[in-house]
Amino acid sequence: MTQKSEHRPPFSALLTVCLPPVLVLALAGATSLVAHRSQHAASLAQEQLAQTLRTAPQNPDTQAAQLLITGDTAGLAAAKLQAQILDQVQLAGLQVQQIESKGYEPAGALTKLLALGTFQGTEAQLMAALIDFEKAEPLLFIDRLRLDGMGQEAGLLRAEIAFSAFAGQVHP
């Protein structure tokens, strides 16, 4: 009689012994990869925050000043308002017929500047100008808008726009 002895462990014993270390190594590798990606994302976010803080004004007075028309006198501030309107209208491609200052009035600690402009252009040009006015800094407000069609064949509109803006402390 021949007796066969098996010295090899059965397959299940092999899995029981080898599988846990392989799973632990795979889990450690995956965790390391996730940690590395998270560290990289955090590093990028920290760099973006630092860049934003370097470029942002440091105090509220500086931030507020960017929203106001500057000028030592109300006349100089009104001239800067007219120049800002002119720049934005020309960028939109409108033709300027008239821009005039309509004075100023005290508004608490600020001075409210008033201007009136008449422009001519297509509907698309007018819309582009209105959008630019809304995004403008220093802040620019549209108090009134009146449109007149100039004939369907011409495709042009005439716009009369009443503007206002605020200046800081100015002298009359």
Side-chain angles (χ1 to χ4, degrees):
M1 228 172 153
T2 321
Q3 197 175 23
K4 247 182 171 178
S5 65
E6 292 207 19
H7 296 291
R8 283 193 257 162
F11 183 70
S12 63
L14 184 65
L15 282 178
T16 306
V17 173
C18 294
L19 190 58
V22 169
L23 289 176
V24 168
L25 287 174
L27 184 61
T31 305
S32 176
L33 181 63
V34 168
H36 178 69
R37 286 184 180 170
S38 296
Q39 183 181 13
H40 182 68
S43 175
L44 286 176
Q46 189 174 21
E47 186 177 317
Q48 287 174 342
L49 176 62
Q51 176 65 24
T52 301
L53 291 175
R54 281 192 299 271
T55 59
Q58 295 302 313
N59 63 38
D61 292 337
T62 304
Q63 289 175 323
Q66 292 175 343
L67 303 177
L68 301 175
I69 302 285
T70 59
D72 291 334
T73 66
L76 289 174
K80 286 186 179 181
L81 171 61
Q82 288 177 344
Q84 178 183 352
I85 293 169
L86 182 62
D87 288 345
Q88 290 182 289
V89 164
Q90 288 176 338
L91 285 174
L94 291 174
Q95 293 178 352
V96 178
Q97 294 180 332
Q98 179 180 357
I99 297 178
E100 63 180 300
S101 175
K102 289 298 192 179
Y104 60 94
E105 54 192 50
L110 302 176
T111 301
K112 185 176 184 178
L113 306 169
L114 305 169
L116 181 66
T118 306
F119 315 102
Q120 179 179 321
T122 65
E123 182 180 348
Q125 291 170 326
L126 182 59
M127 286 304 298
L130 292 173
I131 290 169
D132 288 345
F133 293 144
E134 289 295 317
K135 297 188 298 186
E137 281 189 18
L139 293 179
L140 186 60
F141 300 96
I142 298 173
D143 297 330
R144 188 181 75 239
L145 171 65
R146 194 180 94 204
L147 298 174
D148 291 324
M150 299 178 65
Q152 190 172 9
E153 58 280 345
L156 296 176
L157 296 172
R158 181 178 303 130
E160 182 180 278
I161 304 174
F163 297 96
S164 63
F166 289 92
Q169 296 176 350
V170 296
H171 304 288

